[in-house]
Amino acid sequence: MFKVHPTNRKGEHLLTAPEGTAKLTSSSLTITPFPLHTLPLQPAIRFADLFLTRARWRPEEMTPFLKGLYRDGDSKERDKLITKFVRVVKEKEGSWWYPRRTA
């Protein structure tokens, strides 16, 4: 069996822990291919696809999948996209990103 370190190849796969898992270990994670190049180039559609894949995301998990929507290093443009499409919720276990509710 091969091992993929979670920081390798960000934007190429999803790491998923079983429901109800209190402590994460590398053996409890499931690796699912999810290549960035298959996502739409339009921000609204890309965010919709990402939130269809998962109902909530940790910021560090979603950020690699936003590549190409803004210039590398342009944190202001990235923050504008996040403000427009993401609802940030702080919970006991940290911040989570949810889809912004639409009217």
Side-chain angles (χ1 to χ4, degrees):
M1 186 167 149
F2 67 93
K3 291 185 178 183
V4 175
H5 190 272
T7 59
N8 292 345
R9 304 189 53 96
K10 288 184 177 186
E12 295 295 323
H13 62 273
L14 295 174
L15 297 175
T16 309
E19 288 295 318
T21 304
K23 187 176 181 184
L24 295 178
T25 63
S26 60
S27 62
S28 69
L29 295 173
T30 302
I31 301 170
T32 307
F34 194 70
L36 174 65
H37 74 273
T38 63
L39 293 171
L41 296 175
Q42 301 83 4
I45 299 170
R46 183 172 306 181
F47 278 96
D49 282 1
L50 290 168
F51 284 116
L52 286 173
T53 303
R54 288 185 176 170
R56 68 182 196 161
W57 291 76
R58 291 199 178 275
E60 64 274 7
E61 293 173 333
M62 184 185 276
T63 302
F65 296 103
L66 303 182
K67 195 171 195 166
L69 296 180
Y70 58 90
R71 284 191 311 262
D72 285 340
D74 190 348
S75 60
K76 286 184 180 183
E77 189 64 29
R78 181 199 62 217
D79 293 346
K80 284 181 191 177
L81 286 170
I82 291 166
T83 300
K84 185 173 182 178
F85 297 107
V86 173
R87 182 170 50 98
V88 179
V89 177
K90 295 192 189 283
E91 298 177 356
K92 282 192 291 187
E93 61 273 350
S95 290
W96 289 91
W97 287 0
Y98 291 88
R100 186 162 287 290
R101 293 194 173 115
T102 57

